Amino acid sequence: MSEGRGVRGVKSAARTVALLELLAERGEQPSRLDQLAEELGVPRSSMYQLLQTLVDSGWVRTDATGSLYGIGIRALLTGTSYLDGDRRIRTVRPYLDEASDALGETIHMARLDGPDVVYLATRESHEYLRTISRVGRRVPAHAGALGKALLAERPDDELPVAGGPLTALTENTRTDRAALLADLAQVRERGYSIDREETVTGIAGFGFALRYDTPATDAISCSVPVARLTREHEARIASVMREVRAKIEAHLPPASGVPDWR
């Protein structure tokens, strides 16, 4: 077991968390007992007992035969509590509406979580819908506007990204660290990040770090189909998003009394 802050981890708790994360990652693809036991390296009998406990409490669901397992409704309730209980998310939501109304595009808020960003709120454009942006979705930070905006807030030697080749989501994703660092240098100079079909083919994104934390952990972005992205519209996006960011940061200054969650 790993140790953190001088406290030994609890094996059963770690096993439960690993199981729930695995089921959540698989989403609509149900898993069988043997598959879960093998992937997590847990004895079949122990896995069965754990699954039954979680089924009884609503964290895991099973089919009529009791042979297939998936994430349960309790996970949704807990996730909703996270969103509703975070003052920053509640504060940012109206500004996402403002940006969406002004630009007619999809606007996101996300938070850095290790090497990924997690979508916390989205205002979809009426012109197009993209499932990549649903709340709770994880995306590698190096692969999109939101993540690059947050990575640029950190020194190059402190980036939470792998040392080897980076994961490619499209043929345009930067998978070479040197190329990523060059891009981040431009982000710092420009003041915001640009994702040109690096996360989703056909979609460009513009990311803006929210600097009420140092380094920033949250960011907002605007996504737009490249087919209708003109220079004029790009300039308009940058102007509106800068203004929205300034309003958010004025509403949530660093010393705003928000707990410093870790």
Side-chain angles (χ1 to χ4, degrees):
M1 292 185 293
S2 62
E3 296 185 11
R5 298 183 295 277
V7 179
R8 286 182 61 82
V10 179
K11 186 175 182 179
S12 59
R15 181 176 291 175
T16 300
V17 171
L19 172 60
L20 292 173
E21 289 183 342
L22 177 58
L23 291 174
E25 181 181 337
R26 293 189 172 179
E28 296 180 357
Q29 298 178 342
S31 301
R32 295 186 179 276
L33 170 62
D34 291 343
Q35 294 173 323
L36 297 170
E38 180 179 359
E39 186 151 350
L40 295 179
V42 176
R44 190 178 186 279
S45 59
S46 299
M47 178 58 69
Y48 177 76
Q49 293 174 2
L50 177 56
L51 283 168
Q52 295 312 303
T53 299
L54 294 174
V55 167
D56 291 342
S57 60
W59 282 94
V60 171
R61 58 181 173 175
T62 187
D63 68 336
T65 68
S67 60
L68 297 176
Y69 300 92
I71 197 70
I73 197 169
R74 288 288 175 183
L76 171 63
L77 299 177
T78 300
T80 301
S81 177
Y82 177 90
L83 297 174
D84 292 344
D86 191 298
R87 178 193 170 198
R88 288 169 174 171
I89 300 173
R90 295 198 309 270
T91 299
V92 169
R93 281 171 176 159
Y95 295 105
L96 301 185
D97 293 331
E98 179 180 330
S100 182
D101 291 343
L103 296 169
E105 305 294 355
T106 296
I107 311 298
H108 311 291
M109 176 189 185
R111 181 164 293 164
L112 191 66
D113 182 34
D116 303 325
V117 291
V118 179
Y119 286 89
L120 301 176
T122 291
R123 297 296 180 266
E124 294 279 7
S125 166
H126 296 299
E127 299 294 330
Y128 69 102
L129 299 175
R130 305 297 295 206
T131 58
I132 187 71
S133 61
R134 71 174 183 267
V135 171
R137 181 69 179 264
R138 301 178 71 90
V139 172
H142 69 272
L146 288 159
K148 292 194 295 181
L150 292 169
L151 293 180
E153 295 291 306
R154 290 154 173 77
D156 288 348
D157 59 355
E158 295 181 13
L159 300 181
V161 297
L166 303 171
T167 302
L169 298 186
T170 74
E171 62 180 14
N172 297 308
T173 306
R174 288 174 174 81
T175 58
D176 178 73
R177 185 179 180 88
L180 174 63
L181 295 183
D183 189 12
L184 296 182
Q186 292 181 340
V187 173
R188 296 179 187 115
E189 182 177 352
R190 188 191 304 117
Y192 62 93
S193 64
I194 301 177
D195 157 15
R196 298 194 188 277
E197 302 185 82
E198 296 168 43
T199 307
V200 179
T201 300
I203 300 294
F206 303 85
F208 299 76
L210 299 175
R211 294 163 180 155
Y212 42 64
D213 284 321
T214 304
T217 58
D218 296 345
I220 56 174
S221 74
C222 174
S223 296
V224 55
V226 295
R228 54 186 177 84
L229 180 61
T230 63
R231 288 186 179 181
E232 292 76 16
H233 192 33
E234 185 169 328
R236 168 73 172 156
I237 289 171
S239 176
V240 169
M241 295 299 288
R242 280 195 183 104
E243 182 179 345
V244 168
R245 172 170 63 181
K247 290 180 180 179
I248 294 171
E249 291 175 346
H251 202 107
L252 285 169
S256 59
V258 177
D260 183 18
W261 296 111
R262 290 292 183 266

